[in-house]
Amino acid sequence: MPVDLDPAAKFTAYAHPERLVTTEWLQQHLGTPGLTVVESDEDVLLYETGHIPEAVKIDWHTDLNDPVERDFVGSAAFADMLGAKGISRDTTVVIYGDKNNWWAAYALWVFTLFGHADVRLLDGGRDKWVAEERELTRDKPVITPTEYPIVERNDAPIRAFREDVLAHFGNPLIDVRSTEEYTGERTHMPAYPEEGALRGGHIPSAASVPWARAAAPDASFRTRQELDAIYRDEAGLSDGDSVIAYCRIGERSSHTWFVLTHLLGFEGVRNYDGSWTEWGNAVHVPIALGTEPGAAPQPR
Amino acid sequence: MAEWSVMTATELPAKLAEIRDEFLELEEPDRLLLLLEFADELPALPSRYADHPDLLERVVECQSPVFMFVEVDVDLAVHLHATAPRESPTTRGFASILAQGLDGLSRQEVLNVPDDYPNTIGLTKAVSPLRIRGMTAMLARAKRRLREGAA
């Protein structure tokens, strides 16, 4: 049984208002049967410093990524992980996190790979909850483990691989990294560890729209009107477009994937999670430098 | 071979060995909680640095903003001071381990600390190898400062 939706007026302008809840809604619904709150942060220890009461933690490194291959966890590991956190297939999952819900959006995207139906983001994430001085606790949640079914991970609809990008030329690409990464001045985010890309620049024809432009100063999503101005008017996307978004390892572009898919209603948006740490190391792929997108190469 | 092992074991300063053993005695999830204790314990900067942020050096390899300063006192003992935001507890924990583990050592003793110490304290799996690199970078930075004689 899905938990009721948040009727907040701001959400009604979005394509899929059922994908968001407000801090106020969450406060009122804490403890509702069938609802599990998940915190997902960049910092693996932030949850332990204090979290929303009864929220469980999912860490992008240790829970969502395969420990050996560069890939997401498989069906069995995902089922085990969710079962251990007390999540069932029909649970309403509300995810929140730090940094404008950056990693929360990544977790939501991985849940979507496994077809979990009712997964939502807390608009404004951890930052807004904290700013409003709502309760945080270090008390461990009481978890009743469940049997989460082993379901197939279905990558094709929302995940792009390198060969998909090469075949996609001529259709819109969105590069959501910082301007310095896009132009090729640097291969990683300022102040972040060098994750090793041999070449700098961007995939030719990709429009530059740094991911955090979709967030307001209070970490909530910008309004429908503001988002349309950025992605339709500026970046030139229009209805019916097939879009691929990418960044460095696919985390920031999950945030943009959420915006394009659930807030603006684009269908078939894919996240290229190999992103620049694959493309910038790959042999025989085209790269453009500078501030201009560059012409789209022939699709291969 | 046995002799070699004993030698490397004794080379690690007592406090760093103690911290490592504390982590290794715990199960994986509890290791994170111990790291949180270290994060909570990171002392505030001495006022002479708090008032002079220009003296602090940013460790750019770290994921979150961390600033540190290494000094050698009149007794030639090393002290590491660091600050990182409350929202970055992992980084605070790493800094706190080094601040406590290196405190009072001689310059040469710090330089002798194995570069891979962060990989030996049982956090690689709980925290992930990528994140451990932040602590490796802090240790390397402290050593570089001492080598350059700037501290």
Side-chain angles (χ1 to χ4, degrees):
Chain A
M1 258 306 273
V3 178
D4 61 344
L5 301 177
D6 186 338
K10 174 190 170 190
F11 299 162
T12 57
Y14 295 136
H16 296 283
E18 73 278 10
R19 294 295 175 180
L20 286 173
V21 303
T22 54
T23 48
E24 199 177 348
W25 181 95
L26 185 58
Q27 179 92 59
Q28 287 164 0
H29 286 75
L30 287 180
T32 304
L35 170 71
T36 298
V37 182
V38 170
E39 175 160 345
S40 213
D41 299 314
E42 175 172 281
D43 192 302
V44 66
L45 208 50
L46 189 55
Y47 167 90
E48 277 79 6
T49 67
H51 52 81
I52 295 178
E54 295 305 311
V56 299
K57 172 172 101 169
I58 291 183
D59 180 67
W60 69 279
H61 266 299
T62 58
D63 290 322
L64 299 178
N65 280 325
D66 185 274
V68 180
E69 291 181 26
R70 184 170 170 196
D71 202 348
F72 300 104
V73 288
S75 302
F78 186 75
D80 283 351
M81 193 259 296
L82 289 203
K85 303 200 187 280
I87 296 172
S88 303
R89 190 67 173 159
D90 61 355
T91 299
T92 294
V93 177
V94 171
I95 312 181
Y96 73 99
D98 60 349
K99 307 198 169 176
N100 302 334
N101 273 330
W102 170 349
W103 301 97
Y106 182 80
L108 181 142
W109 181 75
V110 175
F111 270 68
T112 309
L113 288 175
F114 289 96
H116 191 94
D118 191 0
V119 54
R120 316 177 190 177
L121 285 184
L122 172 67
D123 194 27
R126 182 183 168 97
D127 295 339
K128 192 157 190 284
W129 185 273
V130 170
E132 292 168 354
E133 297 182 348
R134 297 182 190 270
E135 186 187 355
L136 294 176
T137 179
R138 287 190 175 192
D139 293 343
K140 283 190 178 172
V142 181
I143 295 175
T144 312
T146 58
E147 284 286 327
Y148 194 91
I150 295 181
V151 287
E152 194 191 343
R153 198 184 74 210
N154 187 10
D155 290 340
I158 62 167
R159 185 180 188 194
F161 295 99
R162 192 178 72 184
E163 48 273 31
D164 299 322
V165 177
L166 288 167
H168 181 82
F169 283 129
N171 294 293
L173 281 156
I174 303 282
D175 183 319
V176 313
R177 298 172 302 158
S178 62
T179 304
E180 294 81 6
E181 292 169 276
Y182 179 85
T183 58
E185 267 173 67
R186 53 192 317 157
T187 53
H188 60 110
M189 279 180 285
Y192 273 68
E194 171 59 82
E195 283 170 328
L198 291 172
R199 299 299 165 110
H202 57 268
I203 302 178
S205 78
S208 169
V209 186
W211 70 284
R213 290 190 59 198
D218 71 351
S220 66
F221 287 106
R222 293 200 176 275
T223 62
R224 175 70 191 253
Q225 203 180 1
E226 291 169 324
L227 294 175
D228 275 335
I230 295 170
Y231 293 96
R232 289 178 197 270
D233 305 346
E234 256 184 68
L237 298 184
S238 45
D239 288 332
D241 276 348
S242 160
V243 185
I244 292 178
Y246 72 93
C247 57
R248 180 186 51 119
I249 55 169
E251 14 63 275
R252 287 173 283 178
S253 42
S254 317
H255 190 273
T256 299
W257 173 86
F258 182 89
V259 170
L260 295 178
T261 300
H262 291 316
L263 305 187
L264 297 184
F266 287 94
E267 284 175 19
V269 179
R270 285 176 290 168
N271 179 19
Y272 169 40
D273 60 280
S275 278
W276 200 257
T277 48
E278 178 177 61
W279 198 271
N281 287 315
V283 176
H284 198 54
V285 298
I287 290 177
L289 294 175
T291 53
E292 292 303 314
Q298 281 299 313
R300 339 175 176 156
Chain B
M1 187 63 201
E3 247 172 74
W4 181 83
S5 307
V6 170
M7 266 190 67
T8 50
T10 50
E11 270 174 25
L12 191 62
K15 184 65 185 171
L16 285 175
E18 184 191 316
I19 292 172
R20 178 197 60 197
D21 294 345
E22 267 182 72
F23 274 106
L24 292 179
E25 277 165 19
L26 298 172
E27 299 291 325
E28 297 272 352
D30 292 331
R31 290 179 192 175
L32 272 188
L33 294 180
L34 181 57
L35 185 61
L36 178 61
E37 276 180 40
F38 275 100
D40 286 343
E41 285 167 11
L42 182 68
L45 284 180
S47 55
R48 61 188 182 283
Y49 298 123
D51 299 342
H52 286 278
D54 48 303
L55 291 175
L56 293 158
E57 187 179 9
R58 178 160 184 168
V59 184
V60 292
E61 296 91 337
C62 281
Q63 222 161 305
S64 31
V66 52
F67 293 85
M68 56 182 266
F69 193 85
V70 184
E71 64 177 5
V72 182
D73 69 17
V74 287
D75 299 320
L76 302 180
V78 171
H79 305 284
L80 183 150
H81 305 287
T83 178
R86 290 266 158 211
E87 298 75 41
S88 304
T90 302
T91 303
R92 290 178 62 85
F94 291 164
S96 177
I97 288 172
L98 291 179
Q100 293 185 35
L102 301 179
D103 195 63
L105 298 181
S106 71
R107 190 176 161 278
Q108 194 55 48
E109 284 170 326
V110 174
L111 292 177
N112 288 346
V113 172
D115 291 337
D116 73 340
Y117 173 76
N119 290 307
T120 65
I121 59 176
L123 281 173
T124 322
K125 202 170 149 209
V127 167
S128 89
L130 185 70
R131 290 177 172 131
I132 284 286
R133 281 198 218 163
M135 185 169 170
T136 310
M138 276 186 237
L139 177 59
R141 183 60 62 100
K143 288 187 181 190
R144 196 188 315 158
R145 297 290 295 185
L146 290 172
R147 249 184 235 116
E148 287 166 355

